[in-house]
Amino acid sequence: MDEDARRRHSSSFGAAATAYAEHRPDYAQAAVRWALEPAPGARVLDLGAGTGKLTATLAEVSGDVTAVEPDPAMLAELRRTLPEVRALSGSAEAIPLPDASVDAVVAGNAMHWFDMAVAGPEIARVLAPGGVLSGLWNVVDDRVDWVAGLAAVSGSAAIGPRDTPASWRVATAGMHLPKTGAARFGSPEQAEFPHGQRRTADSLVATLATRAGMLVMPERERTEALHRIRAYLASRPETAGGEFTLPMLTCVLRVRRL
């Protein structure tokens, strides 16, 4: 994806902030605990926090959480749903916090939008010595037959290169490193944690409709893609009638600040 496309995709969520908050899954608490485990203290920054899906779990695990989000609509939704959390306007490339002010920086389904040539030094700046950077992604478990079929029908706009376990491992292994300049973080660790989301066919279609690739798709193509997904779900016994659990994993990339 070129830089213009990356910016267009990353800025697409604000218009769907309410739907994003309603339909996107939370994160497995075990994954969040593992992401924070090496941190030297409890001060946590949720970077690119969106509507606060990860922020809410962080607040349960660690009592000192700051959220930073660049999109005004997403930030407003976060502040509405989590009024007790300190929430600031800012970005990974311009973090509105002092040097060495947090022990962990985490990003939920957001690190792939960061310009790490700029964000890498910024994240290193706000991290205390020995601090940890962790990216978390919720992926669908395509080792389950019907989920593999869903991925094939949906296409990469809805279930993309970081949205299944095997492709996630490859796509994120070096995501913490700038493309140029010296590395500011140590060797990456990756881990996967079982997760799931209760869905109906309608709510799963609505969830996939909040993916960036779907949001920037021309309306006619988007409507056709969602129709294909809905027809597939209606054809499968696992998803045709009432509620079901969408098999997922919360996957974590974890690195220490050098």
Side-chain angles (χ1 to χ4, degrees):
M1 186 182 295
D2 62 29
E3 185 62 19
D4 286 344
R6 186 185 68 83
R7 288 176 180 168
R8 184 162 56 95
H9 281 66
S10 66
S11 64
S12 64
F13 298 110
T18 301
Y20 189 105
E22 179 181 355
H23 295 293
R24 285 294 183 104
D26 61 3
Y27 294 80
Q29 193 169 101
V32 174
R33 292 188 183 279
W34 188 85
L36 299 177
E37 187 179 43
R43 301 170 300 173
V44 180
L45 167 61
D46 186 1
L47 191 55
T51 63
K53 286 291 184 178
L54 177 56
T55 315
T57 307
L58 289 168
E60 295 175 5
V61 173
S62 173
D64 187 357
V65 179
T66 299
V68 168
E69 166 58 35
D71 187 277
M74 301 287 273
L75 183 60
E77 184 66 24
L78 189 157
R79 286 172 169 163
R80 185 186 69 80
T81 57
L82 297 169
E84 71 282 4
V85 172
R86 182 189 185 202
L88 306 174
S89 178
S91 68
E93 296 77 20
I95 302 172
L97 294 176
D99 295 358
S101 58
V102 297
D103 301 297
V105 174
V106 299
N109 281 78
M111 193 185 294
H112 49 277
W113 302 124
F114 299 169
D115 177 1
M116 287 304 293
V118 182
E122 266 292 89
I123 293 168
R125 177 186 66 79
V126 302
L127 275 172
V132 64
L133 166 65
S134 293
L136 295 89
W137 286 264
N138 280 319
V139 308
V140 295
D141 191 351
D142 65 345
R143 296 169 298 187
V144 177
D145 179 65
W146 76 262
V147 179
L150 174 66
V153 167
S154 299
S156 61
I159 298 179
R162 292 171 304 274
D163 294 332
T164 58
S167 60
W168 170 83
R169 282 188 170 271
V170 174
T172 63
M175 195 163 281
H176 60 294
L177 297 173
K179 290 184 173 62
T180 58
R184 296 175 183 271
F185 302 97
S187 299
E189 301 173 87
Q190 292 176 313
E192 302 169 0
F193 298 84
H195 197 28
Q197 186 184 31
R198 292 297 290 172
R199 298 280 75 181
T200 63
D202 286 343
S203 66
L204 181 50
V205 170
T207 299
L208 295 175
T210 68
R211 299 296 180 95
M214 299 294 287
L215 291 171
V216 301
M217 188 180 286
E219 184 60 31
R220 181 176 176 179
E221 293 179 27
R222 183 172 181 269
T223 299
E224 291 173 352
L226 294 175
H227 177 75
R228 285 197 309 273
I229 295 168
R230 192 181 300 278
Y232 173 78
L233 294 173
S235 75
R236 294 291 307 210
E238 301 92 340
T239 57
E243 283 196 342
F244 55 88
T245 296
L246 174 65
M248 302 176 67
L249 299 166
T250 296
C251 298
V252 188
L253 170 74
R254 184 176 77 180
V255 293
R256 298 288 292 272
R257 178 188 182 277
L258 295 177

